PDB file of all heavy atoms in Angstrom:
ATOM      1  N   LYS R1283     -10.243  -0.858   1.129  1.00 93.00           N
ATOM      2  CA  LYS R1283     -11.247  -1.017   0.071  1.00 93.00           C
ATOM      3  C   LYS R1283     -12.003   0.298  -0.121  1.00 93.00           C
ATOM      4  O   LYS R1283     -12.087   1.125   0.778  1.00 93.00           O
ATOM      5  CB  LYS R1283     -12.221  -2.145   0.383  1.00 93.00           C
ATOM      6  CG  LYS R1283     -13.164  -1.841   1.546  1.00 93.00           C
ATOM      7  CD  LYS R1283     -14.184  -2.949   1.714  1.00 93.00           C
ATOM      8  CE  LYS R1283     -15.219  -2.596   2.747  1.00 93.00           C
ATOM      9  NZ  LYS R1283     -16.328  -3.537   2.720  1.00 93.00           N
ATOM     10  N   LEU R1284     -12.582   0.451  -1.302  1.00 92.00           N
ATOM     11  CA  LEU R1284     -13.442   1.569  -1.614  1.00 92.00           C
ATOM     12  C   LEU R1284     -14.854   1.059  -1.819  1.00 92.00           C
ATOM     13  O   LEU R1284     -15.061   0.051  -2.494  1.00 92.00           O
ATOM     14  CB  LEU R1284     -12.969   2.290  -2.881  1.00 92.00           C
ATOM     15  CG  LEU R1284     -11.555   2.895  -2.795  1.00 92.00           C
ATOM     16  CD1 LEU R1284     -11.136   3.411  -4.162  1.00 92.00           C
ATOM     17  CD2 LEU R1284     -11.487   3.974  -1.752  1.00 92.00           C
ATOM     18  N   GLY R1285     -15.831   1.734  -1.225  1.00 91.00           N
ATOM     19  CA  GLY R1285     -17.225   1.362  -1.381  1.00 91.00           C
ATOM     20  C   GLY R1285     -17.641   0.194  -0.499  1.00 91.00           C
ATOM     21  O   GLY R1285     -16.875  -0.287   0.332  1.00 91.00           O
ATOM     22  N   GLY R1286     -18.888  -0.217  -0.687  1.00 92.00           N
ATOM     23  CA  GLY R1286     -19.426  -1.296   0.108  1.00 92.00           C
ATOM     24  C   GLY R1286     -19.804  -0.807   1.512  1.00 92.00           C
ATOM     25  O   GLY R1286     -20.211   0.350   1.685  1.00 92.00           O
ATOM     26  N   MET R1306     -23.635  10.236   6.842  1.00 91.00           N
ATOM     27  CA  MET R1306     -22.717  10.473   5.723  1.00 91.00           C
ATOM     28  C   MET R1306     -22.555   9.187   4.934  1.00 91.00           C
ATOM     29  O   MET R1306     -22.797   8.096   5.432  1.00 91.00           O
ATOM     30  CB  MET R1306     -21.364  10.906   6.275  1.00 91.00           C
ATOM     31  CG  MET R1306     -21.346  12.261   6.908  1.00 91.00           C
ATOM     32  SD  MET R1306     -19.665  12.710   7.323  1.00 91.00           S
ATOM     33  CE  MET R1306     -19.950  14.102   8.405  1.00 91.00           C
ATOM     34  N   GLY R1307     -22.141   9.341   3.682  1.00 93.00           N
ATOM     35  CA  GLY R1307     -21.880   8.184   2.824  1.00 93.00           C
ATOM     36  C   GLY R1307     -20.492   7.624   3.077  1.00 93.00           C
ATOM     37  O   GLY R1307     -19.517   8.356   3.276  1.00 93.00           O
ATOM     38  N   PHE R1308     -20.382   6.309   3.089  1.00 96.00           N
ATOM     39  CA  PHE R1308     -19.116   5.624   3.285  1.00 96.00           C
ATOM     40  C   PHE R1308     -18.339   5.623   1.972  1.00 96.00           C
ATOM     41  O   PHE R1308     -18.842   5.178   0.946  1.00 96.00           O
ATOM     42  CB  PHE R1308     -19.367   4.185   3.765  1.00 96.00           C
ATOM     43  CG  PHE R1308     -18.132   3.358   3.876  1.00 96.00           C
ATOM     44  CD1 PHE R1308     -17.162   3.641   4.824  1.00 96.00           C
ATOM     45  CD2 PHE R1308     -17.915   2.261   3.037  1.00 96.00           C
ATOM     46  CE1 PHE R1308     -16.015   2.862   4.950  1.00 96.00           C
ATOM     47  CE2 PHE R1308     -16.787   1.473   3.149  1.00 96.00           C
ATOM     48  CZ  PHE R1308     -15.837   1.777   4.100  1.00 96.00           C
ATOM     49  N   ILE R1309     -17.112   6.124   1.998  1.00 94.00           N
ATOM     50  CA  ILE R1309     -16.262   6.166   0.790  1.00 94.00           C
ATOM     51  C   ILE R1309     -15.334   4.959   0.773  1.00 94.00           C
ATOM     52  O   ILE R1309     -15.219   4.274  -0.244  1.00 94.00           O
ATOM     53  CB  ILE R1309     -15.427   7.460   0.769  1.00 94.00           C
ATOM     54  CG1 ILE R1309     -16.337   8.685   0.742  1.00 94.00           C
ATOM     55  CG2 ILE R1309     -14.461   7.459  -0.423  1.00 94.00           C
ATOM     56  CD1 ILE R1309     -17.272   8.770  -0.440  1.00 94.00           C
ATOM     57  N   GLY R1310     -14.678   4.683   1.883  1.00 96.00           N
ATOM     58  CA  GLY R1310     -13.740   3.555   1.903  1.00 96.00           C
ATOM     59  C   GLY R1310     -13.064   3.417   3.248  1.00 96.00           C
ATOM     60  O   GLY R1310     -13.184   4.266   4.120  1.00 96.00           O
ATOM     61  N   GLN R1311     -12.390   2.260   3.401  1.00 96.00           N
ATOM     62  CA  GLN R1311     -11.610   2.002   4.589  1.00 96.00           C
ATOM     63  C   GLN R1311     -10.172   1.742   4.183  1.00 96.00           C
ATOM     64  O   GLN R1311      -9.934   1.199   3.101  1.00 96.00           O
ATOM     65  CB  GLN R1311     -12.175   0.845   5.394  1.00 96.00           C
ATOM     66  CG  GLN R1311     -12.088  -0.487   4.705  1.00 96.00           C
ATOM     67  CD  GLN R1311     -12.776  -1.585   5.493  1.00 96.00           C
ATOM     68  OE1 GLN R1311     -13.834  -1.384   6.071  1.00 96.00           O
ATOM     69  NE2 GLN R1311     -12.159  -2.766   5.508  1.00 96.00           N
ATOM     70  N   PHE R1312      -9.247   2.140   5.043  1.00 95.00           N
ATOM     71  CA  PHE R1312      -7.834   2.043   4.698  1.00 95.00           C
ATOM     72  C   PHE R1312      -7.069   1.466   5.869  1.00 95.00           C
ATOM     73  O   PHE R1312      -7.137   1.998   6.984  1.00 95.00           O
ATOM     74  CB  PHE R1312      -7.295   3.467   4.376  1.00 95.00           C
ATOM     75  CG  PHE R1312      -8.090   4.128   3.298  1.00 95.00           C
ATOM     76  CD1 PHE R1312      -9.206   4.904   3.625  1.00 95.00           C
ATOM     77  CD2 PHE R1312      -7.787   3.938   1.974  1.00 95.00           C
ATOM     78  CE1 PHE R1312      -9.988   5.494   2.640  1.00 95.00           C
ATOM     79  CE2 PHE R1312      -8.556   4.533   0.977  1.00 95.00           C
ATOM     80  CZ  PHE R1312      -9.649   5.307   1.307  1.00 95.00           C
ATOM     81  N   TYR R1323     -11.513   5.079   8.378  1.00 96.00           N
ATOM     82  CA  TYR R1323     -12.770   4.996   7.628  1.00 96.00           C
ATOM     83  C   TYR R1323     -13.142   6.396   7.151  1.00 96.00           C
ATOM     84  O   TYR R1323     -13.271   7.307   7.973  1.00 96.00           O
ATOM     85  CB  TYR R1323     -13.878   4.434   8.536  1.00 96.00           C
ATOM     86  CG  TYR R1323     -13.512   3.109   9.140  1.00 96.00           C
ATOM     87  CD1 TYR R1323     -12.878   3.039  10.381  1.00 96.00           C
ATOM     88  CD2 TYR R1323     -13.788   1.932   8.488  1.00 96.00           C
ATOM     89  CE1 TYR R1323     -12.535   1.822  10.940  1.00 96.00           C
ATOM     90  CE2 TYR R1323     -13.463   0.703   9.048  1.00 96.00           C
ATOM     91  CZ  TYR R1323     -12.826   0.670  10.279  1.00 96.00           C
ATOM     92  OH  TYR R1323     -12.481  -0.543  10.840  1.00 96.00           O
ATOM     93  N   LEU R1324     -13.315   6.575   5.852  1.00 94.00           N
ATOM     94  CA  LEU R1324     -13.599   7.877   5.273  1.00 94.00           C
ATOM     95  C   LEU R1324     -15.083   7.992   4.921  1.00 94.00           C
ATOM     96  O   LEU R1324     -15.636   7.123   4.234  1.00 94.00           O
ATOM     97  CB  LEU R1324     -12.756   8.096   4.005  1.00 94.00           C
ATOM     98  CG  LEU R1324     -12.911   9.413   3.288  1.00 94.00           C
ATOM     99  CD1 LEU R1324     -12.554  10.592   4.190  1.00 94.00           C
ATOM    100  CD2 LEU R1324     -12.078   9.416   2.015  1.00 94.00           C
ATOM    101  N   PHE R1325     -15.706   9.088   5.376  1.00 93.00           N
ATOM    102  CA  PHE R1325     -17.121   9.363   5.135  1.00 93.00           C
ATOM    103  C   PHE R1325     -17.276  10.769   4.578  1.00 93.00           C
ATOM    104  O   PHE R1325     -16.546  11.680   4.961  1.00 93.00           O
ATOM    105  CB  PHE R1325     -17.921   9.267   6.445  1.00 93.00           C
ATOM    106  CG  PHE R1325     -17.948   7.896   7.032  1.00 93.00           C
ATOM    107  CD1 PHE R1325     -16.930   7.478   7.863  1.00 93.00           C
ATOM    108  CD2 PHE R1325     -18.992   7.032   6.748  1.00 93.00           C
ATOM    109  CE1 PHE R1325     -16.937   6.207   8.415  1.00 93.00           C
ATOM    110  CE2 PHE R1325     -19.012   5.762   7.297  1.00 93.00           C
ATOM    111  CZ  PHE R1325     -17.989   5.346   8.136  1.00 93.00           C
ATOM    112  N   VAL R1326     -18.279  10.964   3.707  1.00 90.00           N
ATOM    113  CA  VAL R1326     -18.583  12.271   3.126  1.00 90.00           C
ATOM    114  C   VAL R1326     -20.103  12.365   2.979  1.00 90.00           C
ATOM    115  O   VAL R1326     -20.775  11.378   2.684  1.00 90.00           O
ATOM    116  CB  VAL R1326     -17.928  12.424   1.753  1.00 90.00           C
ATOM    117  CG1 VAL R1326     -18.360  13.712   1.068  1.00 90.00           C
ATOM    118  CG2 VAL R1326     -16.418  12.399   1.855  1.00 90.00           C
ATOM    119  N   ASP R1327     -20.650  13.574   3.194  1.00 86.00           N
ATOM    120  CA  ASP R1327     -22.073  13.795   2.916  1.00 86.00           C
ATOM    121  C   ASP R1327     -22.219  13.851   1.403  1.00 86.00           C
ATOM    122  O   ASP R1327     -21.809  14.821   0.770  1.00 86.00           O
ATOM    123  CB  ASP R1327     -22.552  15.091   3.574  1.00 86.00           C
ATOM    124  CG  ASP R1327     -24.036  15.323   3.368  1.00 86.00           C
ATOM    125  OD1 ASP R1327     -24.652  14.626   2.545  1.00 86.00           O
ATOM    126  OD2 ASP R1327     -24.592  16.202   4.037  1.00 86.00           O
ATOM    127  N   ASN R1328     -22.777  12.813   0.819  1.00 77.00           N
ATOM    128  CA  ASN R1328     -22.888  12.694  -0.635  1.00 77.00           C
ATOM    129  C   ASN R1328     -23.755  13.763  -1.286  1.00 77.00           C
ATOM    130  O   ASN R1328     -23.630  14.033  -2.468  1.00 77.00           O
ATOM    131  CB  ASN R1328     -23.449  11.322  -1.009  1.00 77.00           C
ATOM    132  CG  ASN R1328     -22.527  10.206  -0.606  1.00 77.00           C
ATOM    133  OD1 ASN R1328     -21.308  10.362  -0.606  1.00 77.00           O
ATOM    134  ND2 ASN R1328     -23.090   9.062  -0.249  1.00 77.00           N
TER     135      ASN R1328
END
Side-chain angles (χ1 to χ4, degrees):
K1283 69 175 186 169
L1284 299 173
M1306 291 186 194
F1308 175 66
I1309 301 299
Q1311 66 185 40
F1312 306 89
Y1323 305 90
L1324 180 61
F1325 295 86
V1326 174
D1327 183 347
N1328 296 328

